[in-house]
Amino acid sequence: MIGLLGGTGPEGRGLGLRLRLAGHDVMIGSRDTARALAAAERVAAKVKGVSVESGLNEDVAMRAETVFVTVPYAGQRPTLEPLAGALSGKIVVTTVVPLQFDPYGASFLPIDAGSAAMEARGILPESRVVAAFQTISAHDLLNPEKRIDSDVVVCSDDESAKALIAGLAEEIPGVRAVDGGGLRNAVYVEHITALLLNINRVYRARAAFRLTGIEDDRK
């Protein structure tokens, strides 16, 4: 079972849809059971024959083996702190980026931990924290016909957890997983997310992130 904490927004629903289409059991969580149910029904309605479970965030933390955090940055700490015990030993994937907005666009919000990923690790010291999917368009994820032509940079200090999430990422058509090294490197990906938002604003587009030259470097 793959769970999505705060999965009622576009990012949570989009990832839930794509992971369900890849054949995984998915459970969308929320602080409110009605909102979770409504989100699960919206995901299920995208593709005939697809079903998605729902429940409180506490239910997701208890039942899921792998958990994605898809809340806005302001909700990360209040969502994770009460669930630290339930998430002990589990893979927790944070997609969170601390952002601030002004009339000129988006910018990275400096925080004490350095990045949302490092903050999550501090909150969940007994969990296997991974950072990934920060740069993927939720709008594109929600379109089951859309091929996601993008890389997903996966950062973690837990090599087996990183490999598992990289494998999940590559089950989404068009996605290539890139090993971003340790969790401390997630801060650079979080900064790129702000850049992509500003590029998309200028071009009225949904730009994606793709690295070149990796295949040659590894030969």
Side-chain angles (χ1 to χ4, degrees), residues 102-106 198 201:
D102 60 31
Y104 300 99
N198 291 320
R201 183 184 185 207

Side-chain angles (χ1 to χ4, degrees), residues 5 7 9 22 31 34 37 45 61 64 77 82 94-95 105 115 127 146 170-171 174 182 199 210:
L5 298 175
R31 292 175 298 174
L37 177 60
R77 181 174 292 278
T94 176
T95 70
S115 69
S127 297
K146 174 73 174 179
E170 293 193 341
E171 291 181 23
I199 290 172
R210 180 73 83 181

Side-chain angles (χ1 to χ4, degrees), residues 108-188:
F108 182 81
L109 176 66
I111 58 176
D112 290 342
S115 69
M118 293 298 285
E119 181 178 280
R121 186 172 72 177
I123 299 168
L124 305 174
E126 302 302 322
S127 297
R128 305 164 68 190
V129 178
V130 180
F133 291 98
Q134 303 98 319
T135 59
I136 299 293
S137 164
H139 185 279
D140 289 345
L141 287 171
L142 282 165
N143 179 358
E145 304 301 320
K146 174 73 174 179
R147 180 179 172 86
I148 309 296
D149 185 21
S150 180
D151 288 338
V152 166
V153 179
V154 186
C155 300
S156 181
D157 298 323
D158 185 312
E159 293 298 324
S160 62
K162 181 164 54 176
L164 187 148
I165 300 307
L168 285 181
E170 293 193 341
E171 291 181 23
I172 300 174
V175 169
R176 179 183 65 170
V178 174
D179 187 340
L183 195 67
R184 70 177 186 175
N185 292 335
V187 66
Y188 308 119

Side-chain angles (χ1 to χ4, degrees), residues 2 41 63 68 76 95-96 107-108 112 116 118 133 138 146 170 215:
I2 296 175
E41 290 176 343
R63 292 184 55 194
F68 284 74
Q76 177 171 263
T95 70
V96 179
S107 61
F108 182 81
D112 290 342
M118 293 298 285
F133 291 98
K146 174 73 174 179
E170 293 193 341
E215 294 85 359

